[in-house]
Every structure is written in C-alpha cells, then in structure tokens.
Amino acid sequence: MLSLIFYSTLFIMRLSRNSILLICVLLIIVTGCNNKNGGSGGASGIKADILKKHHTLKSNKKLLLGLPVKLKYDDITDHLFILDANQRKIIEIGDSSNIVNEFGGEGKGPGESIRVDNFFITQKYLYTLDETQRLINKFSLQDGHYISSLNYGQLLLKKKNYSKSKTPPPPRFPYYDNNNQPFVTNYGTILLPTQTGGKHLYEAVNWKGKKLADIGAIPKGYKAEKNKNKYWATLENRNVPASDLDEAFPVNDCQDRGDIYLIYPAVPKIAKYSLSGQKIWEHKIPPTPEVDSIMINLSDFAKLIKNHPQNNVALIPVRIYIAGRCSSDGDLYLTTYTHPTPKPSKFNRPLWIQQFSPKGKLIKRYKTGTNIEESPFSAFNFKKHRIFVSSYYSAQVRVYHF
C-alpha cells in the first residue's frame, strides 16, 4: 500500500491551490476512525486539560534550526534532542539551549545520512535511522562520536514479502508516519518490520542481525488489498480498509525496560509485548470527541476527488495516533495525527495528547492551545511537567506545562 510520500515539506508549500485543498481534506480523513465505534460515549467523560500557555525555547547564534521535526527528551541527562531535517542530524541541547553534542550529518560517509527518518536514545548510545540507505547508525551518547552501522537492508531482503521484487519498498515520508519502521528498544534490540507475508509485524534482532524473536500479531481481518476503488469505497462507508490493519508502531516501556507497547493506530488499540515475543495484554482504545471530530463526510470527499481528476491520489493509510512516549511510572502518552500543510486555516487541527495507565486505560486528555503547524512527535520532561512541541515552518520549539 502506498503511503503519503513527500520528501520535503517545502514541496507541499509549492503545490497548487487545488492540490493543497485536496491534501488538507485527505489528511482530515485519514486520521479518522471507524464511525460505527464513534459517538460521544466511551472515554469522552474524561475532561480535557487545555494547555494554552507556552513559551518558545531560547535560541542563540549557534543553535540555528532549519526544520525541527522530531523531539525526544533524555531523563538521565535532562537534555533535549532535536531531529533537524534540513541539517540531517540530531542536535542535543542543555537547559540554556547550549549545544552539547551533534550526531551525524548529511552524506554517505560513516555515520552520515541521506535523510534521518528517526532516532533512538538508550543509556549509552544514540541511534539514527536512514531508511534511504537502509542503515542504522550508532553513536556514543557521551561525546557524539560515530561507532558503527547496521545495514538492515540485507536483512529485509530475506523477508517473504520482498521475495518477488528482491527490493524493499521505498521509504515513506517520515515526519508524519513511523508505522512499520525499524525501531531500537531501550536495550538496543532492533525491531525490523516484516508486514505481509508473515504472521508477525516485527522481528527482533541484535546488533549483528541475529534473530531473537517475532513480535506483534497481525490483526484478524487484515488483507493486502491494493484495489484503489475498493479502498476508497471502504473509506466512503467510514470503515477502516483491511489493508491498514497491519499498521503499527512500538513505544518503549520505561517502567519495565524489557517490554514494549505496540500501537495500532487504525484499529485503534494498544498491545504490550515482552522482547521475547510474548503478548502480555491488549486493549482497544475507547472513542473520544477529538477522534470523532476529525471525521468528515466521506461522500463529499469522493466528489472532491472526482471533480479533481488531475490529482493523483494514492492509498493513504488510516491513522489516528502517530507517536508515543512512556514515563518512568509506566504511563503511556500518545499524540494524535495533526496536519503537515502550511497553515490551512479551514483545516487547522490542534495537537491532542492522551495519557494511558500502565494497563492501557485512558486516564487523561490534553490539548494544546494553538491549532497550527505543531508536530505530533513531541518530547516530554516528566520531572518538570513540560511538553516540547516543534513548529515546522517557523523553526521553533514550544514548551507547554502540564
């Protein structure tokens, strides 16, 4: 299934007016959920905390951000890490916005990336993911020095779903999608996506590529359906296409570092697994008003596509949640899908954050006070109750208190 692939957010800004309108509506739709499970019931009785006040992270002459797209906070060092897509590197900063370390850079040399799709922090190391080169680069967290790389492309070629083409599918646009993407756990175990052709979503391997376990069951009802007409017909009926059921992304469990959460954003549901592959539990996520509110009339959308035949519309996976982070207490924080379009006033979507207990129960809901251009790949400082949110086009990092 094709995904929403744009290799630069600047490309979006160069689109025609009609194309931008279509993409705005597309992004409204693909974040929707099955209307049959919707309504204002379920967890809607949990009052939402509106985070109105925020300040902008101080910048200096050395800290010049181009396109900050993903943020992570290290509880051990109390440092913020910023993935700058323009510079193809990770920038580590301290409390005074002083640069502590920089990891990687643009290129094809050791430790360099053509494009940084994601990064992961463990106690001693920082890993960067370059899906274009099929590489995971490993750096020292202490000084930023490059250590080694894992070429996982050769491992993916062994998967059943790549046996016919002998070539892994092209990398997807990373700043709005991290489903079925290589992932590094707290212990440095690598989770590689297997997807279709197997019974599990991820395969756990060590740094040498040796298989350790299969993780994540493919949900019942999944079918690798590629028929565009059937796909849009399913969406028009406000149902999740069967081909989207295998979309999932992992989140580290910071309370029990040997476990992970697996988030199925289209179902949606949360499952907890050990790194040995044992499923501990799974729960469907109850409906909430913020999820229901992003549904639009799919019939009108179908008419819009029909009236704009010049637009080549791909099959865009349904997603409700886009990223997650876990506190040391084991609580899970999931961010909802927002929008990557340049300030579309009619389709502005606020950032929603939902907090779940270690057992997967929804216990709190947060909403940021601004409705424009905020990334769902946020960082959390749980000690000081701060949320760091990047603003794509203004190249800023906003700090909310919760």
Side-chain angles (χ1 to χ4, degrees):
M1 178 184 61
L2 296 176
S3 178
L4 180 60
I5 307 175
F6 298 129
Y7 291 96
S8 170
T9 52
L10 297 180
F11 171 76
I12 298 175
M13 300 180 70
R14 297 191 185 106
L15 293 174
S16 67
R17 182 177 181 181
N18 287 339
S19 297
I20 289 178
L21 175 62
L22 178 57
I23 290 176
C24 293
V25 178
L26 274 170
L27 293 170
I28 296 284
I29 288 170
V30 298
T31 57
C33 65
N34 189 327
N35 191 52
K36 293 180 180 179
N37 295 325
S40 58
S44 61
I46 300 175
K47 184 179 179 181
D49 291 343
I50 311 300
L51 309 179
K52 295 182 178 180
K53 295 183 179 180
H54 72 271
H55 67 272
T56 302
L57 198 68
K58 294 181 180 179
S59 59
N60 53 53
K61 294 181 180 179
K62 294 184 178 180
L63 181 62
L64 299 175
L65 300 177
L67 191 62
V69 292
K70 291 186 178 180
L71 310 176
K72 295 185 180 181
Y73 195 88
D74 182 30
D75 296 325
I76 298 176
T77 61
D78 281 332
H79 289 172
L80 179 67
F81 292 76
I82 304 172
L83 192 170
D84 192 316
N86 279 359
Q87 301 183 60
R88 271 75 165 179
K89 63 184 177 182
I90 312 300
I91 302 171
E92 176 186 359
I93 64 174
D95 286 339
S96 301
S97 298
N98 58 305
I99 297 179
V100 179
N101 283 317
E102 295 184 351
F103 303 83
E106 183 177 7
K108 295 184 178 180
E112 296 177 334
S113 300
I114 295 177
R115 189 184 75 186
V116 181
D117 298 84
N118 208 344
F119 69 101
F120 311 92
I121 303 171
T122 64
Q123 287 186 333
K124 295 182 178 180
Y125 306 108
L126 182 141
Y127 301 81
T128 61
L129 172 64
D130 181 351
E131 285 203 279
T132 303
Q133 298 187 87
R134 311 293 176 185
L135 291 176
I136 300 176
N137 296 316
K138 184 178 182 179
F139 300 87
S140 167
L141 189 59
Q142 183 177 4
D143 53 22
H145 287 172
Y146 166 72
I147 298 175
S148 61
S149 297
L150 172 65
N151 184 341
Y152 68 87
Q154 295 301 317
L155 299 174
L156 291 184
L157 288 175
K158 299 176 182 178
K159 307 297 182 186
K160 293 181 180 179
N161 48 318
Y162 304 136
S163 59
K164 294 183 179 180
S165 66
K166 300 297 183 183
T167 304
R172 296 182 289 186
F173 189 63
Y175 313 136
Y176 308 102
D177 190 6
N178 65 345
N179 288 289
N180 304 91
Q181 184 187 76
F183 181 87
V184 182
T185 71
N186 283 324
Y187 283 151
T189 301
I190 313 299
L191 303 185
L192 296 179
T194 57
Q195 298 169 301
T196 58
K199 295 181 179 180
H200 299 87
L201 292 173
Y202 286 90
E203 182 178 285
V205 301
N206 61 19
W207 189 244
K208 295 182 179 180
K210 181 180 178 180
K211 180 177 178 178
L212 303 175
D214 291 315
I215 296 178
I218 294 179
K220 294 180 179 180
Y222 166 75
K223 292 182 180 179
E225 178 61 64
K226 305 293 183 180
N227 185 293
K228 182 180 291 188
N229 292 331
K230 290 183 178 179
Y231 189 91
W232 289 119
T234 303
L235 282 180
E236 193 171 359
N237 291 325
R238 298 188 178 184
N239 293 317
V240 175
S243 57
D244 289 353
L245 296 177
D246 71 333
E247 297 284 327
F249 63 88
V251 178
N252 280 309
D253 182 353
C254 298
Q255 186 180 41
D256 188 340
R257 301 177 68 86
D259 296 337
I260 62 164
Y261 294 106
L262 201 57
I263 315 303
Y264 296 78
V267 176
K269 72 176 179 181
I270 304 171
K272 189 174 184 179
Y273 281 86
S274 69
L275 291 181
S276 63
Q278 179 185 3
K279 182 169 69 173
I280 302 172
W281 53 257
E282 72 173 32
H283 302 298
K284 281 196 173 182
I285 302 175
T288 55
E290 56 267 27
V291 171
D292 289 346
S293 67
I294 58 181
M295 290 295 293
I296 69 167
N297 190 316
L298 294 180
S299 296
D300 289 345
F301 170 68
K303 293 177 183 178
L304 180 62
I305 294 180
K306 187 176 181 180
N307 294 332
H308 294 79
Q310 72 275 15
N311 292 290
N312 183 20
V313 181
L315 304 185
I316 304 171
V318 174
R319 68 239 314 80
I320 295 170
Y321 300 96
I322 194 81
R325 180 72 167 88
C326 186
S327 70
S328 59
D329 296 331
D331 283 356
L332 177 65
Y333 293 74
L334 298 181
T335 52
T336 61
Y337 200 92
T338 54
H339 60 81
T341 48
K343 300 182 180 180
S345 58
K346 186 177 180 180
F347 301 109
N348 283 345
R349 188 178 314 293
L351 177 64
W352 283 87
I353 301 168
Q354 295 183 350
Q355 179 182 351
F356 297 82
S357 73
K359 296 296 183 180
K361 180 181 178 181
L362 180 59
I363 55 178
K364 267 197 170 184
R365 301 160 55 226
Y366 304 91
K367 174 188 173 184
T368 61
T370 55
N371 290 357
I372 59 172
E373 55 162 339
E374 290 189 326
S375 168
F377 294 98
S378 307
F380 295 81
N381 178 351
F382 295 107
K383 294 179 182 178
K384 296 182 179 179
H385 303 282
R386 295 188 296 177
I387 302 175
F388 299 85
V389 181
S390 63
S391 171
Y392 292 122
Y393 300 101
S394 57
Q396 294 179 345
V397 175
R398 298 167 181 168
V399 185
Y400 293 90
H401 291 268
F402 72 104

